[in-house]
Amino acid sequence: MPPTPHPHAPSPAPPPPRPSDILRQLQQSHTLTHDSLQKKIQRELSYLINPSTSPDSRHPSIYHFSIHPLPFILPAEDWRTLSEAFSQRLRAWNIALTDIFSEQSLIRQRILPHRLIYNDPSYLRPILGIKPIGDTPIRIAAIDFVHDSQGQWHVLEEIFSQPYGIGIALHLRQSLGEIYTRELSSLPIESPSAVPALIQENLQNCGLSFSHRPRLALLTLGPQSPSYADQAILARMIGIPLIQPDELLVLQGQLFLKTIDGLQPIEILLRFIPAQNIDPVSIPSQTPHQGIPGITSCLRKGTVAIANAPSADLLQNRALTTYTPHLIRHLLHQHPILPDLYRAPLTDIDVREQLFDDWPSYIIKPTHPHPNTPSLNGALLSQDQRRHWQQIIEQNPSKWIIQKNLLHHNPPHDPIILRLFALADHHRITLLPCALTRSLQPPPTDHTHPFPPTPIRDTWILQPTPHTPTPPHPAPPTTHHRHPIELSLPPQTHEIVGERLRLSSRTAESLLWISRYLTRAATTTQLLRTLLQIRATSDPQTTAPKTWQPLWETLAAATGHPTTYFEKNKLTHPSQLSHYILLSQENNASAYHSIRLAHQNTLASRESIPTELFTLITDLYHLLHTYSTQPPHSLDPILNDLSLHNSLIQTHEQITGAALHHLLRDDPWHFWNIGHHIEQAIFTTITFRQLILPLRSPTQDPSLIHDTLIRLFACQYAHRKHHPHRPTLQSIASILLTLPTFPRSLAFHYHTLHHHLTTCFPLTTPTPTTPAIHTLHHLTTLHTLPLHQMCTPKNSSLPIADWLAEETQHLHHLANLITDHHIHHYHTHLLSHTPT
């Protein structure tokens, strides 16, 4: 008879959910939302995709991808095993790298081959003896794992130099988590929400020797970098600036960043540029990237810490990382927890014969990864191609290694590459609860077709339960065990506060011009729409042709053309005119051209652009780019009924609203508004002047011009409120120039500019050349304008027209003054902070 359970005994815990059951549940519960899910995924692609990725590339890349709607479920026992294996390998290589660039005992004892190391271009002799903080040259690492048909995990590749993918993995969870909110909250799944704080804390620990809170930055090559999108997302989530080498300067043995507040010191860099390009003085390089002259001396003095250390680039050598199992046995006195997927350098003649006898079983990879040197799938090579590559390999076998082709013999049911990430410091190794999963797809059999996009998937890591078996821990090493394993997230025990790092000069200039270009496109479209609406609603029989001339001259002047441009080019048909102003790729003043430049600047400063704002600008650019490549006659319906005009203006209003709701009221917000109000003020003065020039003649009928001004600037309500009688030039001028409560008036723009300038740059020692003082002077002048005299024609001239021409020049000068004074610092001393 079975024993009776104790009445107060706890009920047994439910068994852990199986990945197959979770996936089946997701497929059943989200069938109705499939269309919305696909739209969201397509929207996320515009944010995640790298600008330099070519959709026609014939070589597979992590950045040529699609998004799989279903996640990959990683069981808790697999997570534990992979974490142990990751920690074991990272410990071994941190010890080995520290030794290679200092005592070199591993080389002297022939544990590692000296020729393989000394002949490597990433073995940089100028950094020998530079000791990394806490003997931890690799602080952020990634490893790719694959499993075979029996479910056994293997190590595919270690990415210990510049690990990429964390930003994409975090963004995928954040985005798809909005759809799977119920499942993520009810299932025992690890949350990656603390990952950005963990990374920042790890980087802060690089600066333990500094007397103050160190300032952090992420160093990138810029939009031309293959992993730029991932870097920008990561920098935004961590909360550090994304900077390029030419934004940094070494003075008096200290590293400085060019910001809107002058030079500010930087103590810690998260590096995503090759070590060979980091210092052109100490490390000459043949590449065009300039680097940071003198930063090696900063490393030796200890004024700068770099994660990962430049020495970590040595591990890009795939032939060197084949010695990982040997290092684990020698340094940690352990057996490798997980085996490597078979890989071997082709310097061994037996390995070469093994390849030449069985090409389909192997992938041929370059020893040093390079975008222009892709991997080769032996199964896809023809006989002639095999003979050709055999000659190339025989000539220089040290440039290649082979790896087992997992998809050739008995491939797994769901072949994937699982990338895990970890942090290391002098205390512990922390596995990050986020991962990036890529599906392994067989390449196309037809060489004329490009590789299909690689599906990437969000990864759900199941938490351990009482029923989850835990594999035995490996025996503790007797020596060199410097990093105890830490799989749980350490609690945040204190809050780090310190000096704020101001916006970099490059990002500030990009934000200013993004706003200017967007405003320019919107105002141009608004002017065109207003003129077409007036023409469509007017009686052509009662309106003389010369009456329309001021309107077309205004459009020409506002778009930077000679005033007679549209009359000479006969662009008077609405659809032809609309296509030229909105979509023409040859017209440098078209809305498409402005949006394209705004999109380029958005890509260059995407770490400061919120996701919603970035997506709206990108969608608008792709929409106009699609229309601009179509035959003009096919667009007549949307151009004639002004639907494209309205859509562009409405999208600009959405972008403005997204900036209002998502940009913090800090440096990016100020420069966004400075650009907007400068461009809007210039548009007001140019169009106002050009429209009223015909009023110099007393025979000119002012009704059409007054109506155009009222419609163009949307001041119907303001005009009727303040001037209930028939509109006159003076009454309209008082609204457009001096009414401070009208959002399109010149006074409003000057007042707002002064507010943003003084908020962003408090006036400690104002001078007449300070942009804020310059703006205040013009605002004061506006309130003293004798509008009655200026709006009265005198001797075939109109004083207000001459004043508006001068004011346009003053606004251009003010824009240049802001850029020179607050971005490039031509008129101020660069060093706002002296080295300590």
Side-chain angles (χ1 to χ4, degrees):
M1 183 175 183
T4 304
H6 193 276
H8 299 290
S11 58
R18 294 187 301 177
S20 57
D21 296 336
I22 297 176
L23 290 176
R24 190 180 304 108
Q25 177 186 352
L26 293 177
Q27 289 176 323
Q28 294 174 355
S29 60
H30 292 276
T31 303
L32 298 179
T33 60
H34 180 75
D35 293 339
S36 60
L37 179 62
Q38 291 297 329
K39 291 180 181 178
K40 182 173 182 59
I41 288 175
Q42 193 65 31
R43 184 180 177 89
E44 296 302 324
L45 270 177
S46 66
Y47 185 71
L48 294 175
I49 200 71
N50 200 56
S52 63
T53 301
S54 173
D56 299 326
S57 174
R58 295 190 56 203
H59 306 305
S61 167
I62 185 176
Y63 294 105
H64 179 211
F65 57 75
S66 60
I67 299 178
H68 196 288
L70 293 175
F72 173 75
I73 313 295
L74 181 64
E77 58 271 17
D78 288 6
W79 163 243
R80 180 73 185 186
T81 302
L82 296 174
S83 300
E84 295 284 353
F86 198 135
S87 300
Q88 186 185 56
R89 291 168 176 266
L90 184 53
R91 287 199 310 274
W93 273 116
N94 265 328
I95 298 171
L97 271 183
T98 303
D99 175 79
I100 290 172
F101 285 86
S102 54
E103 294 87 357
Q104 298 192 343
S105 60
L106 293 174
I107 298 177
R108 291 197 305 270
Q109 298 172 21
R110 299 185 179 182
I111 306 301
L112 295 175
H114 67 280
R115 290 183 180 178
L116 188 60
I117 294 175
Y118 292 156
N119 293 334
D120 195 288
S122 295
Y123 179 73
L124 306 176
R125 287 169 175 80
I127 65 173
L128 287 175
I130 299 179
K131 189 176 182 180
I133 301 295
D135 291 342
T136 313
I138 309 170
R139 303 194 73 94
I140 303 180
I143 293 182
D144 284 344
F145 297 93
V146 294
H147 57 76
D148 56 23
S149 56
Q150 285 75 36
Q152 169 66 46
W153 287 99
H154 297 262
V155 175
L156 178 67
E157 192 166 1
E158 293 116 334
I159 304 98
F160 287 164
S161 172
Q162 303 162 45
Y164 49 87
I166 300 179
I168 292 180
L170 291 174
H171 185 80
L172 269 182
R173 172 60 60 86
Q174 186 182 66
S175 175
L176 298 184
E178 299 174 3
I179 299 174
Y180 300 123
T181 305
R182 184 177 67 255
E183 289 80 5
L184 288 171
S185 60
S186 60
L187 294 172
I189 297 172
E190 296 280 357
S191 172
S193 58
V195 168
L198 287 173
I199 297 176
Q200 187 179 68
E201 181 183 350
N202 183 280
L203 295 176
Q204 293 284 353
N205 289 338
C206 293
L208 295 179
S209 60
F210 298 111
S211 58
H212 58 280
R213 176 182 181 249
R215 280 149 289 216
L216 315 176
L218 192 150
L219 184 62
T220 176
L221 289 176
Q224 68 271 22
S225 172
S227 58
Y228 176 72
D230 176 72
Q231 297 163 17
I233 297 170
L234 181 61
R236 178 170 180 80
M237 289 189 170
I238 299 176
I240 60 177
L242 182 69
I243 59 177
Q244 300 178 24
D246 57 359
E247 298 180 71
L248 296 168
L249 184 68
V250 174
L251 288 176
Q252 302 173 6
Q254 189 165 354
L255 186 65
F256 290 91
L257 172 66
K258 303 172 187 176
T259 74
I260 59 175
D261 201 26
L263 294 183
Q264 288 190 303
I266 293 287
E267 287 84 12
I268 299 174
L269 290 175
L270 176 56
R271 178 180 64 91
F272 279 92
I273 70 172
Q276 300 176 63
N277 304 127
I278 202 166
D279 189 344
V281 175
S282 302
I283 311 170
S285 175
Q286 302 298 324
T287 58
H289 307 298
Q290 297 299 318
I292 311 163
I295 193 174
T296 305
S297 63
C298 297
L299 287 172
R300 290 197 178 276
K301 292 180 180 179
T303 59
V304 171
I306 295 182
N308 291 336
S311 59
D313 275 20
L314 186 63
L315 299 187
Q316 289 182 333
N317 190 326
R318 288 172 169 142
L320 182 60
T321 55
T322 59
Y323 288 84
T324 303
H326 190 40
L327 278 178
I328 292 173
R329 295 185 184 97
H330 177 77
L331 295 177
L332 305 182
H333 302 283
Q334 300 174 358
H335 292 289
I337 296 175
L338 288 181
D340 289 58
L341 190 68
Y342 175 77
R343 49 184 174 172
L346 288 174
T347 50
D348 189 336
I349 187 172
D350 293 333
V351 178
R352 294 201 298 273
E353 292 179 355
Q354 181 180 333
L355 168 66
F356 301 152
D357 291 339
D358 188 11
W359 286 88
S361 297
Y362 300 103
I363 303 291
I364 303 98
K365 292 186 174 182
T367 304
H368 296 88
H370 194 276
N372 296 328
T373 310
S375 300
L376 300 172
N377 189 335
L380 299 181
L381 298 178
S382 64
Q383 291 298 329
D384 292 338
Q385 290 173 329
R386 291 175 184 177
R387 285 192 293 267
H388 171 71
W389 278 105
Q390 181 173 346
Q391 294 177 358
I392 295 177
I393 292 172
E394 291 282 9
Q395 290 174 359
N396 200 339
S398 62
K399 287 188 175 181
W400 306 93
I401 70 164
I402 61 170
Q403 192 171 65
K404 179 183 177 182
N405 189 351
L406 194 66
L407 299 181
H408 182 60
H409 293 298
N410 195 17
H413 173 68
D414 184 16
I416 56 96
I417 299 176
L418 176 66
R419 178 166 297 184
L420 297 182
F421 307 95
L423 301 176
D425 58 25
H426 54 289
H427 290 307
R428 60 180 174 265
I429 292 177
T430 303
L431 271 294
L432 299 180
C434 71
L436 186 65
T437 302
R438 291 172 284 153
S439 297
L440 271 174
Q441 289 183 316
T445 56
D446 187 356
H447 288 274
T448 61
H449 290 83
F451 276 86
T454 302
I456 63 172
R457 304 165 70 173
D458 186 18
T459 307
W460 293 4
I461 302 170
L462 295 179
Q463 296 175 347
T465 65
H467 289 269
T468 303
T470 303
H473 290 275
T478 57
T479 59
H480 301 290
H481 194 169
R482 306 181 184 181
H483 301 281
I485 300 173
E486 177 66 45
L487 297 183
S488 60
L489 304 183
Q492 301 291 315
T493 57
H494 63 279
E495 181 180 1
I496 301 176
V497 294
E499 183 180 356
R500 178 172 64 109
L501 189 64
R502 298 301 298 274
L503 191 67
S504 71
S505 297
R506 176 188 60 84
T507 305
E509 191 167 21
S510 294
L511 288 167
L512 185 143
W513 278 104
I514 291 171
S515 184
R516 289 194 67 174
Y517 284 132
L518 291 173
T519 304
R520 186 176 301 175
T523 51
T524 301
T525 307
Q526 182 190 10
L527 173 60
L528 174 65
R529 184 183 67 173
T530 301
L531 300 185
L532 293 178
Q533 286 175 339
I534 292 176
R535 182 176 181 179
T537 55
S538 300
D539 187 356
Q541 297 181 355
T542 59
T543 307
K546 288 186 177 181
T547 308
W548 298 105
Q549 185 174 349
L551 306 186
W552 305 128
E553 290 178 354
T554 301
L555 182 61
T559 54
H561 293 83
T563 55
T564 58
Y565 180 83
F566 294 114
E567 180 182 356
K568 291 182 179 180
N569 288 273
K570 307 298 182 181
L571 290 173
T572 55
H573 191 274
S575 62
Q576 293 179 340
L577 186 64
S578 295
H579 189 276
Y580 180 77
I581 295 297
L582 299 183
L583 302 173
S584 174
Q585 297 187 5
E586 290 75 21
N587 177 16
N588 290 336
S590 67
Y592 164 75
H593 185 77
S594 296
I595 297 298
R596 183 175 65 84
L597 293 176
H599 181 249
Q600 291 177 358
N601 280 276
T602 303
L603 293 176
S605 57
R606 59 185 297 162
E607 79 284 358
S608 298
I609 306 293
T611 307
E612 183 69 23
L613 194 57
F614 180 94
T615 307
L616 285 171
I617 297 174
T618 304
D619 289 347
L620 178 59
Y621 164 70
H622 287 307
L623 175 67
L624 294 185
H625 179 72
T626 301
Y627 284 146
S628 67
T629 57
Q630 296 180 8
H633 61 83
S634 65
L635 302 174
D636 285 349
I638 63 172
L639 294 177
N640 289 330
D641 64 3
L642 305 184
S643 59
L644 180 59
H645 309 63
N646 297 331
S647 176
L648 201 155
I649 294 174
Q650 291 171 4
T651 304
H652 180 262
E653 292 174 352
Q654 292 176 1
I655 292 173
T656 304
L660 177 65
H661 286 89
H662 296 288
L663 278 177
L664 295 178
R665 300 305 188 265
D666 55 1
D667 295 340
W669 167 255
H670 294 305
F671 274 90
W672 179 281
N673 280 277
I674 288 171
H676 168 75
H677 288 285
I678 285 178
E679 194 66 31
Q680 189 72 59
I682 292 174
F683 174 78
T684 299
T685 56
I686 290 178
T687 53
F688 191 16
R689 175 182 180 273
Q690 198 62 44
L691 276 172
I692 65 176
L693 279 178
L695 297 181
R696 294 175 296 183
S697 172
T699 60
Q700 177 68 39
D701 181 13
S703 58
L704 182 62
I705 294 175
H706 290 167
D707 182 57
T708 303
L709 286 169
I710 291 174
R711 291 197 193 188
L712 182 61
F713 294 98
C715 59
Q716 181 74 38
Y717 171 75
H719 171 76
R720 293 306 177 194
K721 179 179 180 181
H722 293 276
H723 305 280
H725 305 291
R726 181 183 294 273
T728 63
L729 179 59
Q730 179 181 347
S731 65
I732 295 178
S734 65
I735 296 173
L736 297 184
L737 299 181
T738 63
L739 186 61
T741 56
F742 180 50
R744 293 181 180 268
S745 71
L746 204 57
F748 181 85
H749 294 314
Y750 273 129
H751 176 77
T752 308
L753 281 172
H754 182 264
H755 165 73
H756 287 289
L757 288 170
T758 53
T759 304
C760 195
F761 308 101
L763 295 174
T764 54
T765 56
T767 64
T769 59
T770 304
I773 298 300
H774 195 79
T775 305
L776 186 61
H777 170 73
H778 282 272
L779 184 60
T780 305
T781 304
L782 274 177
H783 293 303
T784 59
L785 286 179
L787 288 180
H788 176 70
Q789 300 176 9
M790 296 175 66
C791 294
T792 303
K794 296 180 180 178
N795 300 325
S796 299
S797 66
L798 197 60
I800 192 172
D802 299 332
W803 181 87
L804 287 170
E806 295 178 1
E807 195 63 18
T808 302
Q809 296 302 318
H810 290 159
L811 284 167
H812 285 294
H813 173 69
L814 176 61
N816 293 332
L817 187 64
I818 292 172
T819 302
D820 293 345
H821 196 91
H822 293 307
I823 296 179
H824 300 304
H825 303 281
Y826 293 153
H827 304 296
T828 58
H829 188 50
L830 279 174
L831 282 177
S832 61
H833 295 80
T834 57
T836 55

